[in-house]
Amino acid sequence: MLKNYFKLAWRNLIKDRRFAFLNLIGLSTGLACALMIYIWVQDELHIDKFHKNDATLFQVLENRVQASGIWTAKSSPVPMAEALVKDMPEVEYAAYVSPVREATLSVKNEKNIKTNGKYADKDFFKMFSYGLISGNADQVLKDPASIVLSDVLAKNLFGSSDNVIGKMVDFQHEEQYVVSGVFTSPGPASSEQFDFVLPVRSLEMVKRNADEWGNTGFNTFLVLKPGTNIDKFNAKIANYIKLKTNNEITYRTPFIQRYSENYLYGRYENGIQVGGRIDYVRLFSLVAIFILVIACINFMNLSTAKASGRAKEVGIKKAMGAGRGALILQYLGESMVMAFGSLLLAVLMVVLFLPVFNNITGKQLSLLHPGVSLILTTLGITLFTGLIAGSYPAFHLSGFKPVTVLKGKIRGSAGELFVRKGLVVFQFSLSIILIVAVLVIYRQISYIQTKNLGYEKAHIITFFREGKLNDDVVHDRFLSQVKEIPGVTNASDMGHGFTGHASGTSDVIWPGKDQKDKTEFEVVPVNYDLLKTLDIKIKEGREFSRDFGADSSMLIFNEAAIKFMGMKDPIGKEVELWGEKMRIGGVAKDFHFESLHETVKPLFFMLNPQGTRRFMVKVETGSEKAVVAKLQEIYAQINPGFSFDYQFLDERYQTLYKAESQVSQLSRYFAGLAILISCLGLFGLAAFTAQRRNKEISIRKVLGATVGTIVMMLSKDFLRLILIAMVIAFPVAWWATTQWLKGFAYSIHLNAGVFLVAGVVVILLTFLTISFQSVKAALANPVKSLKSE
């Protein structure tokens, strides 16, 4: 019996190839989109979950009270880790760890390899599951002169990751470390990629601040004992910094967050966790559901529309004794054949397009080794899709009365027509919402890319200061040579990257300051000519100049800082910084050194050529290639052993919006596919309508109706449905996009133009889709149609 069901299903699909093809393409495209998004979502949800201590591995964060609200920081004071192990019985391990840093490693001044690494406490490898291939987790970071290499870096340096324990590695051509262990290079499941680990206690900065609770630079991680109540532990450490500093520091409240949650839930507003990348996971999960629903609606609409053509088949089968249940199983079987056929095509689509998808998302997703959960989920989605897509046609067809259909009196019911039209409205409502979202995201990203940030980011080459360039004499000679390169208009260096928060201080004191206020000012150490190089405008006063001998005691604040301090006529006024008297020599116009998600924060520049770490070279338009070549030549001469790795400042700026750019690009593709699927369904319905009204069209043509009249007659009903979909979709799209734009401190104004463009696009696509069938029907020879009467 089951074999007969599938045989009949196959024959019916072959019999009406056109509608079967439209259904197959629509369903397979929807399944392919859902499958790709599912793989991506699963990958996102499993980032950093591979650590064996995942359930008890936490990071210490701090809520810091500022005048503008609460700022959540990830940095901690140096003594935090050891103190928590000592004072809190709930803590099993703790480690003070630096963010990922770039450095050059070599062996006997050969094989110079620039890569990323970390500084970490001795218990790092007992806390995190970066598996040690060789070496003891208790010992590898105990010796300040030791270094732990990844297996990849060990092979690059020594030709093999075996038998490297005890060998020497040159670090930045300045220090030597003994290899104490080798670990497995972090895979794609890790949010951080690094190739070496050094003992954090070997750093002079850490040694100087071993008992200092006021300075924060790195991160503190904890492994808690199983069964620890997190809420109670957070309450216990809330006043920890206050107690450790005898009430000197009262504005900082530490708390812990599960380490693996930081990747998806890393955004805080006013001290409250409000989301992060999880927002995009939810967004694309919703998009996958939307597209799958649109594909299912297509199937239901096309199958139901063709029902009248199979009415006599149902009547004959019922007259021969077939029960309704058997008919339902038959038509559901047809749906399942289509669904699983679509699955095979969808898998092929995913295999073909996954490399493009990976290129956009920066992932390494693959279907070569599918897990059990992926297989079961995919089969479940396909089964569910087949059942949902085929349920209405199956129950609808099986409900025909044999006497009625065999007499030829079957007519499409008003309820059937209403359902079909309702489904068209629903699927186009979803498509319109996606189109509006794409337009808004595109406009916001364009706004971000073109907005005047208050400084020059185009044609600025930036690279790190390292090696011999840390010597002041060599550094000055290098800058002089750079300024003489044809095409270079200016050059300087600074201790900031202008792509986010770098360092701050609350130790700025001015007349009338509320002593309880601990708002942090961004600190930007600069060299001469930096403001001129980046074209940062001075509103009042002047910039740093060699013509004045006392500029080391001068500060330049931005407008936001002056406004925050409540100063009028600030030039020449004194402030205190870290216990020293300083004077305000200039006020810079506000500029954005963080992403446009943030408002402009108080900031000051200080002249400190020794504290800079990044060069900024401004070049003339069109001279970039020649300047880079000359820079490489000079750099190799002055700083041998170090590779010249540069970026353009506008490229660094784009990294602030990597997630938004990915969303923008992917949403365009998925919105396009949603429209394609919807139009495929509309094309099929238009074809069916034209086929059903074939004789009516022929009679109208005989009576003198023009092609244009017939086209409008067949098109107006569909266009009316699209207008209804717009009325439903536009308010929903406005609300959704408004909520997304609230995540930016600076955003576009959402006006009617976006909705007008979306409406025109949908109407044009709809008209083009249905006009093909309408024109074809209008041009058909009426004699052929009426001849059968």
Side-chain angles (χ1 to χ4, degrees):
M1 182 65 72
L2 191 62
K3 181 180 178 181
N4 287 333
Y5 286 156
F6 282 105
K7 187 182 291 185
L8 286 170
W10 176 252
R11 286 175 179 173
N12 280 308
L13 293 175
I14 294 299
K15 181 181 177 182
D16 204 340
R17 293 182 181 85
R18 180 172 57 174
F19 285 91
F21 177 76
L22 290 175
N23 265 334
L24 184 67
I25 294 297
L27 269 178
S28 60
T29 304
L31 284 169
C33 291
L35 187 56
M36 279 196 291
I37 292 175
Y38 176 80
I39 295 170
W40 177 79
V41 166
Q42 287 302 304
D43 185 81
E44 288 285 286
L45 293 176
H46 286 85
I47 294 294
D48 290 332
K49 297 283 189 180
F50 65 93
H51 299 287
K52 66 178 182 180
N53 292 321
D54 176 48
T56 56
L57 181 60
F58 291 83
Q59 181 174 0
V60 177
L61 282 69
E62 290 185 9
N63 279 332
R64 300 175 184 174
V65 179
Q66 312 275 284
S68 58
I70 298 174
W71 170 45
T72 301
K74 295 182 180 180
S75 55
S76 304
V78 176
M80 175 71 81
E82 288 187 356
L84 286 175
V85 171
K86 181 181 177 181
D87 297 339
M88 303 291 169
E90 299 92 338
V91 178
E92 187 172 359
Y93 298 112
Y96 191 56
V97 182
S98 77
V100 173
R101 294 182 167 191
E102 192 176 66
T104 297
L105 277 69
S106 60
V107 177
K108 297 179 181 178
N109 289 322
E110 296 180 356
K111 294 185 178 180
N112 299 305
I113 298 173
K114 183 167 282 188
T115 186
N116 294 318
K118 300 169 78 74
Y119 288 89
D121 264 342
K122 57 183 177 61
D123 289 329
F124 178 77
F125 285 102
K126 290 192 286 187
M127 298 170 62
F128 294 87
S129 298
Y130 302 113
L132 280 172
I133 298 171
S134 56
N136 189 308
D138 291 315
Q139 303 295 324
V140 288
L141 291 172
K142 262 193 173 181
D143 186 349
S146 63
I147 185 171
V148 190
L149 306 177
S150 73
D151 54 348
V152 174
L153 182 57
K155 287 176 184 176
N156 289 335
L157 288 172
F158 300 106
S160 171
S161 60
D162 299 326
N163 303 317
V164 298
I165 303 295
K167 293 185 178 182
M168 302 299 295
V169 172
D170 295 320
F171 181 80
Q172 292 288 84
H173 296 290
E174 296 173 353
E175 302 171 279
Q176 284 194 323
Y177 292 91
V178 180
V179 178
S180 59
V182 177
F183 65 94
T184 304
S185 183
S190 175
S191 61
E192 292 192 328
Q193 301 296 314
F194 55 94
D195 280 317
F196 66 86
V197 183
L198 287 165
V200 73
R201 303 292 166 176
S202 65
L203 288 174
E204 284 300 321
M205 182 273 286
V206 173
K207 293 176 183 178
R208 287 196 307 269
N209 294 286
D211 299 314
E212 177 57 59
W213 288 84
N215 292 334
T216 60
F218 294 169
N219 310 124
T220 299
F221 299 96
L222 310 174
V223 171
L224 300 181
K225 293 177 181 177
T228 300
N229 185 297
I230 306 306
D231 292 332
K232 289 182 179 179
F233 185 80
N234 276 330
K236 191 174 181 179
I237 65 171
N239 294 316
Y240 195 62
I241 296 176
K242 179 180 178 181
L243 293 171
K244 287 293 182 180
T245 59
N246 295 319
N247 291 328
E248 287 184 13
I249 300 177
T250 59
Y251 69 101
R252 287 163 46 193
T253 303
F255 68 97
I256 60 172
Q257 180 192 38
R258 190 172 169 181
Y259 172 70
S260 59
E261 290 181 355
N262 184 56
Y263 178 76
L264 290 176
Y265 301 89
R267 186 159 60 90
Y268 287 80
E269 289 180 5
N270 204 29
I272 299 172
Q273 199 285 319
V274 293
R277 288 183 65 91
I278 189 65
D279 296 334
Y280 296 122
V281 170
R282 291 167 179 160
L283 171 65
F284 282 114
S285 298
L286 192 62
V287 168
I289 294 171
F290 276 13
I291 291 176
L292 207 52
V293 167
I294 290 171
C296 289
I297 288 173
N298 267 2
F299 187 92
M300 294 172 70
N301 263 343
L302 290 175
S303 297
T304 308
K306 292 295 293 178
S308 58
R310 302 182 65 181
K312 289 184 179 180
E313 174 194 338
V314 174
I316 292 171
K317 286 184 176 181
K318 281 196 169 184
M320 296 295 291
R324 187 176 184 185
L327 291 173
I328 289 173
L329 284 177
Q330 178 192 334
Y331 296 126
L332 281 178
E334 289 183 18
S335 176
M336 296 308 301
V337 168
M338 180 64 70
F340 280 93
S342 299
L343 175 62
L344 295 177
L345 185 57
V347 170
L348 179 61
M349 289 181 179
V350 172
V351 171
L352 291 175
F353 292 106
L354 205 52
V356 178
F357 188 74
N358 284 338
N359 187 48
I360 296 171
T361 60
K363 297 281 189 179
Q364 301 175 29
L365 307 177
S366 174
L367 280 180
L368 293 178
H369 304 288
V372 175
S373 61
L374 175 61
I375 294 172
L376 292 177
T377 303
T378 303
L379 292 175
I381 290 174
T382 306
L383 184 63
F384 178 78
T385 301
L387 290 173
I388 293 298
S391 58
Y392 181 77
F395 285 97
H396 174 75
L397 287 169
S398 64
F400 288 161
K401 294 180 179 179
V403 175
T404 305
V405 296
L406 290 175
K407 286 182 177 180
K409 295 181 179 180
I410 185 68
R411 294 287 185 273
S413 67
E416 173 195 334
L417 192 62
F418 177 80
V419 169
R420 194 181 307 147
K421 288 182 177 181
L423 291 175
V424 170
V425 169
F426 182 66
Q427 71 173 169
F428 269 91
S429 296
L430 296 180
S431 298
I432 292 167
I433 291 170
L434 287 175
I435 290 175
V436 172
V438 166
L439 291 173
V440 171
I441 293 171
Y442 176 77
R443 285 186 58 190
Q444 177 64 16
I445 296 299
S446 297
Y447 172 77
I448 288 168
Q449 292 172 339
T450 58
K451 178 176 170 56
N452 183 2
L453 301 177
Y455 68 91
E456 178 65 61
K457 70 178 187 296
H459 314 299
I460 301 289
I461 298 172
T462 177
F463 51 96
F464 276 113
R465 175 182 177 179
E466 58 183 342
K468 291 185 178 180
L469 291 174
N470 287 320
D471 180 89
D472 294 340
V473 175
V474 177
H475 162 270
D476 292 345
R477 186 171 78 248
F478 175 74
L479 264 183
S480 298
Q481 292 184 29
V482 168
K483 290 179 180 180
E484 293 173 1
I485 297 175
V488 172
T489 58
N490 216 326
S492 185
D493 51 328
M494 63 190 301
H496 205 283
F498 273 22
T499 53
H501 169 70
S503 63
T505 181
S506 59
D507 290 332
V508 180
I509 300 174
W510 62 92
K513 177 183 180 180
D514 181 358
Q515 296 304 310
K516 293 181 180 179
D517 179 73
K518 296 298 180 181
T519 298
E520 289 198 12
F521 287 60
E522 192 76 9
V523 183
V524 185
V526 300
N527 202 347
Y528 292 107
D529 299 327
L530 187 280
L531 276 73
K532 190 182 298 181
T533 300
L534 295 183
D535 198 24
I536 296 173
K537 306 297 184 184
I538 296 293
K539 182 181 180 183
E540 299 178 61
R542 63 176 179 84
E543 58 184 295
F544 301 111
S545 172
R546 294 178 178 84
D547 298 332
F548 299 86
D551 276 1
S552 59
S553 61
M554 166 182 156
L555 298 176
I556 298 175
F557 287 89
N558 66 351
E559 292 176 290
I562 297 298
K563 182 180 179 181
F564 176 72
M565 293 187 290
M567 284 190 176
K568 294 181 179 179
D569 303 319
I571 304 302
K573 289 186 176 178
E574 282 193 344
V575 296
E576 188 177 308
L577 176 66
W578 301 318
E580 294 186 14
K581 297 290 184 182
M582 308 289 283
R583 60 184 176 81
I584 302 176
V587 177
K589 288 189 175 182
D590 280 341
F591 59 91
H592 297 276
F593 62 91
E594 295 181 297
S595 77
L596 296 186
H597 288 285
E598 309 290 339
T599 57
V600 177
K601 306 289 196 313
L603 168 148
F604 65 83
F605 296 98
M606 61 185 300
L607 185 64
N608 181 13
Q610 291 75 34
T612 62
R613 64 176 186 271
R614 184 180 287 278
F615 288 102
M616 299 284 178
V617 180
K618 186 175 184 179
V619 301
E620 295 175 353
T621 304
S623 301
E624 294 87 354
K625 190 173 181 179
V627 169
V628 167
K630 191 62 178 177
L631 278 171
Q632 288 174 324
E633 181 184 330
I634 297 173
Y635 192 92
Q637 292 173 356
I638 290 182
N639 207 24
F642 291 90
S643 60
F644 178 67
D645 297 324
Y646 69 94
Q647 279 183 298
F648 284 92
L649 188 54
D650 53 359
E651 293 175 346
R652 279 181 53 79
Y653 174 73
Q654 295 303 326
T655 61
L656 293 174
Y657 307 99
K658 184 179 179 181
E660 287 83 357
S661 297
Q662 289 175 349
V663 168
S664 177
Q665 197 169 355
L666 288 174
S667 60
R668 290 200 296 272
Y669 288 127
F670 288 131
L673 290 172
I675 284 293
L676 172 65
I677 296 170
S678 298
C679 288
L680 283 175
L682 205 59
F683 183 86
L685 286 176
F688 168 74
T689 302
Q691 180 181 330
R692 186 168 57 88
R693 301 178 69 177
N694 196 19
K695 291 182 174 59
E696 176 192 348
I697 294 168
S698 300
I699 292 170
R700 288 179 180 273
K701 285 192 70 177
V702 169
L703 294 175
T706 64
V707 172
T709 303
I710 293 173
V711 169
M712 286 308 300
M713 178 191 74
L714 293 174
S715 302
K716 64 181 182 180
D717 286 342
F718 291 110
L719 291 173
R720 189 181 295 119
L721 295 178
I722 302 307
L723 291 175
I724 295 172
M726 288 182 190
V727 172
I728 296 171
F730 283 161
V732 177
W734 177 85
W735 175 83
T737 51
T738 300
Q739 294 300 116
W740 182 73
L741 289 173
K742 284 181 180 179
F744 295 86
Y746 306 90
S747 63
I748 61 170
H749 176 66
L750 198 58
N751 54 37
V754 172
F755 300 96
L756 182 62
V757 170
V760 170
V761 167
V762 172
I763 289 173
L764 284 176
L765 287 174
T766 302
F767 188 75
L768 288 173
T769 300
I770 59 182
S771 63
F772 176 81
Q773 291 294 343
S774 302
V775 171
K776 182 180 176 182
L779 292 175
N781 189 346
V783 175
K784 291 182 179 180
S785 177
L786 296 173
K787 192 175 181 181
S788 62
E789 289 295 332

Short mmCIF file of all heavy atoms in Angstrom, two decimals, residues 745-772:
data_model
loop_
_atom_site.label_atom_id
_atom_site.label_comp_id
_atom_site.label_asym_id
_atom_site.label_seq_id
_atom_site.Cartn_x
_atom_site.Cartn_y
_atom_site.Cartn_z
N ALA A 745 23.89 55.32 19.04
CA ALA A 745 23.74 56.67 19.58
C ALA A 745 23.52 57.67 18.45
O ALA A 745 22.92 58.73 18.65
CB ALA A 745 24.97 57.06 20.40
N TYR A 746 24.01 57.34 17.25
CA TYR A 746 23.88 58.21 16.08
C TYR A 746 23.35 57.34 14.94
O TYR A 746 23.99 56.37 14.54
CB TYR A 746 25.22 58.83 15.70
CG TYR A 746 25.88 59.56 16.85
CD1 TYR A 746 26.75 58.89 17.71
CD2 TYR A 746 25.62 60.91 17.08
CE1 TYR A 746 27.35 59.54 18.77
CE2 TYR A 746 26.22 61.56 18.15
CZ TYR A 746 27.08 60.87 18.99
OH TYR A 746 27.67 61.52 20.04
N SER A 747 22.17 57.70 14.44
CA SER A 747 21.55 56.84 13.43
C SER A 747 20.80 57.68 12.41
O SER A 747 20.60 58.89 12.58
CB SER A 747 20.59 55.85 14.09
OG SER A 747 19.53 56.53 14.73
N ILE A 748 20.38 57.02 11.34
CA ILE A 748 19.60 57.70 10.31
C ILE A 748 18.21 58.03 10.83
O ILE A 748 17.75 57.46 11.83
CB ILE A 748 19.47 56.81 9.06
CG1 ILE A 748 18.76 55.49 9.42
CG2 ILE A 748 20.82 56.56 8.42
CD1 ILE A 748 18.37 54.65 8.22
N HIS A 749 17.55 58.95 10.15
CA HIS A 749 16.16 59.26 10.46
C HIS A 749 15.28 58.38 9.60
O HIS A 749 15.41 58.35 8.37
CB HIS A 749 15.86 60.73 10.20
CG HIS A 749 14.42 61.10 10.41
ND1 HIS A 749 13.80 61.04 11.64
CD2 HIS A 749 13.47 61.49 9.52
CE1 HIS A 749 12.53 61.40 11.51
NE2 HIS A 749 12.31 61.68 10.24
N LEU A 750 14.42 57.61 10.21
CA LEU A 750 13.55 56.70 9.49
C LEU A 750 12.37 57.48 8.90
O LEU A 750 11.49 57.94 9.62
CB LEU A 750 13.05 55.60 10.43
CG LEU A 750 12.49 54.33 9.79
CD1 LEU A 750 13.54 53.68 8.89
CD2 LEU A 750 12.06 53.34 10.87
N ASN A 751 12.38 57.65 7.56
CA ASN A 751 11.32 58.43 6.92
C ASN A 751 10.50 57.57 5.97
O ASN A 751 10.76 56.38 5.78
CB ASN A 751 11.93 59.63 6.18
CG ASN A 751 13.03 59.21 5.21
OD1 ASN A 751 12.92 58.17 4.57
ND2 ASN A 751 14.07 60.03 5.11
N ALA A 752 9.53 58.21 5.35
CA ALA A 752 8.60 57.49 4.47
C ALA A 752 9.29 56.98 3.21
O ALA A 752 8.77 56.07 2.55
CB ALA A 752 7.43 58.39 4.09
N GLY A 753 10.44 57.56 2.86
CA GLY A 753 11.13 57.16 1.63
C GLY A 753 11.47 55.68 1.62
O GLY A 753 11.38 55.02 0.56
N VAL A 754 11.88 55.14 2.77
CA VAL A 754 12.23 53.72 2.85
C VAL A 754 11.03 52.85 2.50
O VAL A 754 11.14 51.90 1.72
CB VAL A 754 12.74 53.37 4.27
CG1 VAL A 754 12.94 51.88 4.42
CG2 VAL A 754 14.04 54.10 4.56
N PHE A 755 9.87 53.20 3.04
CA PHE A 755 8.67 52.40 2.81
C PHE A 755 8.17 52.59 1.38
O PHE A 755 7.63 51.65 0.78
CB PHE A 755 7.60 52.79 3.82
CG PHE A 755 8.04 52.57 5.24
CD1 PHE A 755 8.56 53.61 6.00
CD2 PHE A 755 7.95 51.32 5.83
CE1 PHE A 755 8.99 53.41 7.29
CE2 PHE A 755 8.37 51.10 7.13
CZ PHE A 755 8.89 52.15 7.86
N LEU A 756 8.35 53.80 0.84
CA LEU A 756 7.94 54.05 -0.53
C LEU A 756 8.77 53.20 -1.50
O LEU A 756 8.23 52.58 -2.43
CB LEU A 756 8.12 55.54 -0.87
CG LEU A 756 7.69 55.97 -2.28
CD1 LEU A 756 6.20 55.72 -2.48
CD2 LEU A 756 8.01 57.45 -2.49
N VAL A 757 10.09 53.17 -1.28
CA VAL A 757 10.97 52.35 -2.13
C VAL A 757 10.59 50.88 -2.03
O VAL A 757 10.49 50.18 -3.06
CB VAL A 757 12.45 52.56 -1.73
CG1 VAL A 757 13.34 51.55 -2.44
CG2 VAL A 757 12.90 53.98 -2.06
N ALA A 758 10.38 50.40 -0.80
CA ALA A 758 10.02 48.99 -0.60
C ALA A 758 8.71 48.67 -1.32
O ALA A 758 8.57 47.63 -1.98
CB ALA A 758 9.90 48.68 0.88
N GLY A 759 7.73 49.59 -1.20
CA GLY A 759 6.44 49.37 -1.85
C GLY A 759 6.54 49.32 -3.36
O GLY A 759 5.96 48.45 -4.01
N VAL A 760 7.29 50.26 -3.93
CA VAL A 760 7.46 50.31 -5.39
C VAL A 760 8.16 49.05 -5.88
O VAL A 760 7.77 48.46 -6.90
CB VAL A 760 8.25 51.57 -5.81
CG1 VAL A 760 8.65 51.49 -7.28
CG2 VAL A 760 7.43 52.83 -5.54
N VAL A 761 9.20 48.61 -5.16
CA VAL A 761 9.94 47.40 -5.55
C VAL A 761 9.01 46.19 -5.56
O VAL A 761 9.01 45.41 -6.53
CB VAL A 761 11.13 47.15 -4.59
CG1 VAL A 761 11.70 45.76 -4.78
CG2 VAL A 761 12.21 48.19 -4.81
N VAL A 762 8.22 46.04 -4.51
CA VAL A 762 7.33 44.87 -4.42
C VAL A 762 6.26 44.92 -5.50
O VAL A 762 5.95 43.89 -6.14
CB VAL A 762 6.68 44.81 -3.02
CG1 VAL A 762 5.61 43.72 -2.98
CG2 VAL A 762 7.73 44.52 -1.96
N ILE A 763 5.68 46.09 -5.74
CA ILE A 763 4.63 46.21 -6.77
C ILE A 763 5.21 45.90 -8.15
O ILE A 763 4.60 45.16 -8.95
CB ILE A 763 4.01 47.62 -6.74
CG1 ILE A 763 3.14 47.77 -5.48
CG2 ILE A 763 3.16 47.86 -7.98
CD1 ILE A 763 2.59 49.16 -5.26
N LEU A 764 6.39 46.43 -8.44
CA LEU A 764 7.02 46.16 -9.74
C LEU A 764 7.32 44.68 -9.92
O LEU A 764 7.05 44.10 -10.98
CB LEU A 764 8.30 46.98 -9.88
CG LEU A 764 8.13 48.46 -10.19
CD1 LEU A 764 9.49 49.17 -10.20
CD2 LEU A 764 7.43 48.66 -11.54
N LEU A 765 7.90 44.06 -8.87
CA LEU A 765 8.22 42.63 -8.95
C LEU A 765 6.95 41.81 -9.12
O LEU A 765 6.92 40.84 -9.90
CB LEU A 765 8.98 42.19 -7.70
CG LEU A 765 10.43 42.66 -7.59
CD1 LEU A 765 11.01 42.27 -6.23
CD2 LEU A 765 11.28 42.05 -8.70
N THR A 766 5.91 42.20 -8.39
CA THR A 766 4.63 41.48 -8.50
C THR A 766 4.06 41.60 -9.90
O THR A 766 3.62 40.61 -10.51
CB THR A 766 3.63 42.03 -7.47
OG1 THR A 766 4.17 41.91 -6.15
CG2 THR A 766 2.31 41.28 -7.55
N PHE A 767 4.06 42.82 -10.40
CA PHE A 767 3.48 43.04 -11.73
C PHE A 767 4.27 42.30 -12.81
O PHE A 767 3.69 41.69 -13.71
CB PHE A 767 3.44 44.54 -12.04
CG PHE A 767 2.70 44.87 -13.30
CD1 PHE A 767 1.31 44.82 -13.33
CD2 PHE A 767 3.38 45.20 -14.46
CE1 PHE A 767 0.61 45.11 -14.50
CE2 PHE A 767 2.70 45.48 -15.63
CZ PHE A 767 1.31 45.43 -15.65
N LEU A 768 5.60 42.34 -12.70
CA LEU A 768 6.43 41.64 -13.67
C LEU A 768 6.19 40.13 -13.61
O LEU A 768 6.19 39.44 -14.63
CB LEU A 768 7.90 41.95 -13.44
CG LEU A 768 8.36 43.36 -13.82
CD1 LEU A 768 9.80 43.59 -13.37
CD2 LEU A 768 8.24 43.58 -15.32
N THR A 769 6.01 39.62 -12.40
CA THR A 769 5.81 38.18 -12.21
C THR A 769 4.51 37.71 -12.83
O THR A 769 4.48 36.71 -13.57
CB THR A 769 5.81 37.83 -10.70
OG1 THR A 769 7.06 38.22 -10.14
CG2 THR A 769 5.60 36.35 -10.50
N ILE A 770 3.44 38.43 -12.56
CA ILE A 770 2.13 37.97 -13.04
C ILE A 770 1.84 38.43 -14.46
O ILE A 770 1.02 37.83 -15.15
CB ILE A 770 1.00 38.45 -12.09
CG1 ILE A 770 0.97 39.98 -11.99
CG2 ILE A 770 1.16 37.82 -10.72
CD1 ILE A 770 -0.09 40.50 -11.05
N SER A 771 2.51 39.48 -14.92
CA SER A 771 2.23 39.99 -16.27
C SER A 771 2.65 39.00 -17.34
O SER A 771 2.04 38.93 -18.40
CB SER A 771 2.92 41.33 -16.50
OG SER A 771 4.33 41.19 -16.42
N PHE A 772 3.70 38.21 -17.05
CA PHE A 772 4.15 37.22 -18.04
C PHE A 772 3.01 36.26 -18.36
O PHE A 772 2.70 35.99 -19.54
CB PHE A 772 5.36 36.46 -17.50
CG PHE A 772 5.82 35.35 -18.40
CD1 PHE A 772 6.61 35.62 -19.50
CD2 PHE A 772 5.44 34.03 -18.17
CE1 PHE A 772 7.03 34.60 -20.35
CE2 PHE A 772 5.84 33.00 -19.01
CZ PHE A 772 6.65 33.29 -20.10
#
